[in-house]
Structures are given as structure tokens and as C-alpha cells.
Amino acid sequence: MSDHVVLLSIPGLAAEHLADMPNLRALTAGGDRAPLAASFPAVTCSVQANMTTGLPPSEHGIIANGGYWRDGVEGAGPPAGSERKLGQVELWTMWNDAIKRPQLWDLLHEHDPSITSAMWFALNNKGCGADYICTFAPIHNPDGSESLWCYTRPEMMYGDLRDAFGHFPLKHFWGPLAGIPSSAWIVSSAIWAAEQHQPNFWYIYLPHLDYATQKNGPSSAEAKNALVELDNELGRLITEFKRIHEGHPLLWLVASEYTVSPVDHVTYPNRVLRELGMLVLDELEGTEQLNFGESTAFAVADHQLSHIYVNHDVPNAIDKIVNRFRREPGIAEVLTKDQLDRYELNHPRSGDVVLVSETNSWQAYYWWLDDARAPSYARKMDIHRKPGYDPVELFFDPETKGIPLDATLVRGSHGAPVRHESQQGVLLSSERGVFVERTLADTDVASIVLNQFGAG
């Protein structure tokens, strides 16, 4: 048991990466190591909820990085007070009330109210029960611009962090400028908060390995350089936390959320649904806008999966969708609601059909057949209006000064079920005897943390 536990949540980390990460290797050399298998879907919001609740998406409701808020389906609508979201697709912006089960900070408080927790930059956790919180929350202005800001608890803490380190560099958190400055800011702010508050439990999300691996591929020189950059920041975090907690037991846990697989293929579920005559597209200034409510069916694409939502009781619509996608290259599985239990994904928020990619393929949200007809936001950094995840935002075209519409540029992806050892991540600890060294699931992480506080 430990007085203080730090859980580092690192997407894209694999066991072989430790060879290029001397600081992380030294921290965990005397500890446990086990393969870590992300549950399906192996995407950020779902895996983070798995690790902090100890439960799968069928229980906590985070079925992807977002989804479609449906009316008339019990348990599928937005949380109370968010009725304006009905009929809308929401990605990345959900508050903590979207997670329908207690998380680690809630469970630790229940066990012992004096145990304090800090949540640093995990998704879907604005308003969660942690004692100390910091996560990006830009202010969306009426003119469409954004003002840099973070949601913090205590509320005024961001002002102190901004004064100490400048605004959180959101432009480096995602998009063509994504890079180490965002993870470096997270590290600096966590050190500051540890100095001030010394919470017993830390959850810290460090996203840096995601960028180069998706843009250039997991075996690229850029991805290898990212390992070095992140390890340098880890060295700073480790050194300062050890200084701050001197004289108190400090246990480190390092969990990879998922690994990134090389991809050389992309599928377009909405274009297939368009072919089937199931999309309704509205004309707006020469562009095609997807009408969610009027479409018979549409897909919310998310890395290596899509949730297809069927709006209307059209005879044989689901059968037509299933039969067509079973012939689509790049699609490994086509799952209907009654088949989602095999991945513990059967939740009212899930699509009526879920598409699962082959390991070398990913899924793009595009529906247009002529790039001239694409909506204006397709060429912009606009993660909120796009009804699907768009890694092409990592590529900026200096000639057009916009985002290209070429999904084949992407070289790495994740989200598909773990079918091969190469897709397994790693769980590390700084001490021996913390967990059994066998293949573990992301849902096992919560109990490992709770055991350290006698709350398991």
C-alpha cells in the first residue's frame, strides 16, 4: 500500500518503446510489467473511462469518443439539462455526467473521504468528483473564434497556472502543430499542483505519442523522436514528484491506453450509406450538409470503428446495411445490436450497426463524392462540427492554407479489437508485487489503484 499513487495514461506506448526511454525504463526497472489489452473500442474516451471505472462501455456508456444523441431511445439521450443536444452528434466535449458509473476519485472518497485525487487532462471529466482538476476548455465566442482557457478545480487555479506557464498551448494539443509543448505544459502544471496540494492519487494524461504515430506511422523516425521528447518530460515529472513527496511512499503506474497500428487503407462508411440511398444531404451554398435526423442511416466514424445510427423504421434497412458492409474492403466485422455483447459494447448509445476495421485500415467520416461539394469545415480544424474523428487535421497544406481532403495520407490508427500481440500495450509499476504479470485488460487498472489504498 502507498500514501501516494501516480497513474500515467499514455496512448501509443508499447513495451519495446522503453529501449528509447531511459527515464521511464529506470523508473520501472524494479517493478512489475504486464501486457495490457485495450477493450474495444480502443479509443481515448472509452479506454480512459474503462481505466477509471473498472467497467466496460456497456456499463459506463462511453461507446466511443462521442456519438449521436437520440430521442425516443431510453438511455441514449444526453444527460439531463442538455436537451438541446438531441439530434446532434457530439465528440470530445462531453462533461463528466456522460460517464454513468463512479470513477476512481468517487470510489476513493467513498472508502475514505480524506483521500484526495487529481485528474489532469483526461477526456469527459469536466465536473468530475476529483478534488483537483485541470483540463482544456477553450471558450467558444459568438463570432466563431476561441479563447484559450482550462477548466480547473479550484476554479481560480487556471489563473495561477496561466501566470506561471502561460496559456495552455491548445494549438499544440491537436492538429498540424501538435507536439511536445502541450504535454510539457501538462507536466509543468502537474508539478505546480503537486507542490501546492500533494493529492494522494494522480491521473495524468500525456498524449504526445499519438501525433507522429498517426501522421507518419508508428515505425517512423518522427514517432521514434516523439519517444525521446516524451521521456525527457517524464524525467522532469519523475524528478520533481520524488522531491515533492520525499519521505512518503510514492508508487508509479504507467498504462498505455492503446497502441497504434500502421494503416495503408481507408473506408468511407457514409459514402456506402449514400450509395444505398440512406443519406439525406442538404444544399448549402453549393456544399452538401449531412442531415442527421432526416437520413435513414448515417455513420459516426471514429478511428477504426463506426457507429451507424438508423433513424427510421424502414423495412430491412439494417439487413441491407449489414449485407453491404460485409462486402466492403477494410471491414473485419459488421455487428448488430444483438452481437455487441461479445465486446461489452451493448449500450443504448451504441449504433444499430457497428463497423470494425481490419488492423491495417481506418474509417473516415466523408460523405461527398466531389471535393468541391465538401462542407467548409472539412478543410478546417473543426473537431466539433465534423460528425467523426478526422486525423487528416494533422496535415496542413501550405498552398491551400487548409486541411487536405485526402484520407489516404494517414499512416497510423487504432480502435480495433486486440487480435495480435503487436496491438497490446503495456502496464508498468515502479515497485514489485503491485499486480500479477499476466495479460491484463484496461478495466483491471482501477482495481490495481484501489488496492493500493485498501479500497479494493
Side-chain angles (χ1 to χ4, degrees), residues 172-190:
H172 296 294
F173 190 78
W174 182 247
L177 298 178
I180 198 61
S182 61
S183 289
W185 197 98
I186 293 171
V187 167
S188 295
S189 62

Side-chain angles (χ1 to χ4, degrees), residues 19 22 40 45 53 71 74 157 180 187 219 232 269 271 280 296 300 347 353 368 395 415 427 429 449:
F40 177 73
C45 293
T53 65
D71 195 8
E74 186 177 355
M157 182 168 60
I180 198 61
V187 167
S219 299
N232 288 337
R271 288 178 175 172
V280 171
T296 297
V300 178
H347 188 275
V353 178
W368 54 90
F395 301 84
L427 181 65
S429 68
V449 172

Side-chain angles (χ1 to χ4, degrees), residues 83-102:
E83 287 77 10
R84 62 181 177 78
K85 295 180 180 179
L86 278 173
Q88 301 297 316
V89 171
E90 182 178 18
L91 285 94
W92 309 113
T93 58
M94 292 188 293
W95 279 58
N96 188 242
D97 54 6
I99 299 177
K100 295 303 183 184
R101 293 292 185 270

Side-chain angles (χ1 to χ4, degrees), residues 345-389:
L345 188 58
N346 194 350
H347 188 275
R349 294 176 184 165
S350 295
D352 300 285
V353 178
V354 174
L355 307 178
V356 185
S357 289
E358 297 284 0
T359 307
N360 71 315
S361 184
W362 72 282
Q363 302 178 38
Y365 77 94
Y366 300 178
W367 57 82
W368 54 90
L369 304 180
D370 178 353
D371 285 351
R373 303 276 284 164
S376 60
Y377 56 74
R379 291 183 172 86
K380 298 178 181 178
M381 278 286 302
D382 197 333
I383 64 174
H384 303 309
R385 283 197 292 171
K386 294 177 182 178
Y389 171 70

Side-chain angles (χ1 to χ4, degrees), residues 63-79:
I63 50 89
N65 287 316
Y68 178 52
W69 296 120
R70 290 198 279 189
D71 195 8
V73 179
E74 186 177 355

